[in-house]
């Protein structure tokens, strides 16, 4: 089994890359956000506990997230590979993940960091427009991604809207916090010689070509 980690700031197209890898290699996509959302849907005692934590504005504890990951790996032990998306976010989580993997005789093969400047990430995030009707996405700052007619979906003629939470201030905060938390993790994996930096100013196709090669080598 090949185990890969994706680390990327907002606006790098991480979701697209995860989808492409899933299609190409048949890997399972482990997003801790999705795991939490699925657990809440079960409406059992644990779901209630999770919901209360989140509603009170707290983060789900490391121990609980790790337990969910452990269960997920157990359920998917015959998978070709696992993509860890959005985890680990802190050094402590990286240590815990290593320990968990060692216990099940697995290892992290490669860590992809989608490298982007703050300016570029800002443009991608703030330029994003979504069709309210068919959900197709556009970006008003990029030639190939602009709608043909301003504010109108090429496909269905629906109205295009910006996401309400994509403000410059919110973006700057998110990006700074992300970098502060992430740099130590990047160093950690760099020292283990498994970090691959991918230039996220390239197109999705170019990025995937590089990622594809690295996964085959891993
Ligand atoms: Zn549309």
């Amino acid at each position: 089994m090949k185990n890969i980690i994706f680390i990327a700031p907002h606006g790098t197209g991480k979701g697209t890359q995860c989808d492409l890898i899933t299609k190409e290699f048949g890997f399972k996509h482990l997003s801790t956000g999705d795991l939490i959302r699925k657990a809440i849907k079960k409406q059992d005692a644990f779901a209630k506990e999770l919901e209360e934590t989140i509603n009170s504005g707290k983060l789900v504890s490391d121990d609980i997230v790790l337990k969910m990951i452990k269960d997920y790996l157990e359920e998917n032990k015959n998978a070709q590979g696992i993509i860890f998306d959005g985890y680990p976010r802190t050094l402590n989580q990286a240590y815990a993940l290593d320990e968990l993997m060692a216990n099940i005789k697995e290892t992290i093969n490669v860590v992809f960091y989608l490298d982007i400047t703050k300016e570029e990430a800002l443009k991608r995030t703030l330029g994003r427009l979504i069709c309210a009707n068919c959900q197709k996405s556009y970006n008003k700052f990029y030639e190939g991604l602009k709608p043909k007619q301003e504010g109108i979906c090429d496909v269905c003629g629906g109205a295009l809207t910006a996401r309400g939470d994509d403000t410059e201030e919110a973006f700057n905060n998110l990006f700074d916090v992300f970098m502060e938390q992430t740099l130590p993790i990047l160093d950690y994996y760099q020292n283990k010689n498994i970090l691959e930096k991918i230039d996220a100013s390239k197109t999705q196709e170019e990025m995937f070509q590089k990622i594809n090669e690295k996964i085959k080598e891993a």
Side-chain angles (χ1 to χ4, degrees):
M1 184 152 88
K2 282 184 184 176
N3 301 294
I4 65 179
I5 292 176
F6 256 94
I7 301 175
H10 211 49
T12 46
K14 175 173 60 117
T16 304
Q17 293 301 321
C18 288
D19 288 348
L20 290 170
I21 295 169
T22 304
K23 257 187 219 153
E24 178 79 19
F25 296 97
F27 288 5
K28 294 284 177 185
H29 181 199
L30 192 172
S31 142
T32 48
D34 286 350
L35 281 186
I36 292 169
R37 278 185 287 275
K38 256 185 218 154
I40 288 175
K41 275 198 194 134
K42 283 187 185 158
Q43 294 189 327
D44 52 13
F46 177 57
K48 216 175 148 218
E49 199 184 308
L50 277 177
E51 217 168 0
E52 277 168 11
T53 305
I54 291 165
N55 287 343
S56 66
K58 291 188 199 127
L59 287 174
V60 179
S61 80
D62 277 5
D63 287 347
I64 289 178
V65 174
L66 195 67
K67 169 79 170 63
M68 292 168 97
I69 292 175
K70 193 176 168 213
D71 291 346
Y72 184 91
L73 293 178
E74 178 63 33
E75 280 163 31
N76 292 286
K77 63 184 172 196
N78 297 321
Q80 299 289 322
I82 304 281
I83 306 168
F84 291 87
D85 174 6
Y87 189 95
R89 278 186 209 276
T90 63
L91 261 186
N92 278 336
Q93 289 177 355
Y95 300 149
L97 181 61
D98 275 352
E99 202 181 311
L100 171 61
M101 297 304 271
N103 283 340
I104 57 169
K105 298 191 167 50
E106 288 288 340
T107 181
I108 300 295
N109 300 88
V110 54
V111 177
F112 291 110
Y113 174 60
L114 305 187
D115 199 6
I116 193 167
T117 63
K118 192 173 180 177
E119 291 67 32
E120 178 77 13
L122 178 72
K123 231 168 101 183
R124 288 190 188 187
T125 304
L126 294 194
R128 190 160 50 190
L129 296 168
I130 293 182
C131 172
N133 183 40
C134 75
Q135 318 302 321
K136 185 174 163 53
S137 60
Y138 297 85
N139 193 305
K140 63 183 173 192
F141 296 132
Y142 294 90
E143 272 319 314
L145 300 173
K146 273 184 194 170
K148 291 194 180 82
Q149 208 181 331
E150 197 185 319
I152 293 172
C153 177
D154 295 350
V155 179
C156 75
L160 301 183
T161 53
R163 268 176 36 172
D165 54 347
D166 289 343
T167 66
E168 187 161 349
E169 197 192 349
F171 171 85
N172 280 326
N173 284 336
L174 269 178
F175 195 90
D176 292 344
V177 169
F178 176 85
M179 291 315 283
E180 202 181 299
Q181 281 192 342
T182 304
L183 287 175
I185 309 178
L186 297 184
D187 283 345
Y188 176 69
Y189 290 122
Q190 177 81 61
N191 287 334
K192 286 171 163 279
N193 259 328
I194 52 173
L195 183 69
E196 290 293 343
K197 282 192 185 174
I198 303 293
D199 181 357
S201 67
K202 298 267 165 56
T203 66
Q204 292 291 342
E205 289 77 19
E206 287 167 322
M207 280 163 64
F208 184 62
Q209 206 176 357
K210 186 92 200 239
I211 287 170
N212 192 344
E213 274 169 29
K214 294 293 173 191
I215 292 176
K216 283 179 181 155
E217 285 169 14

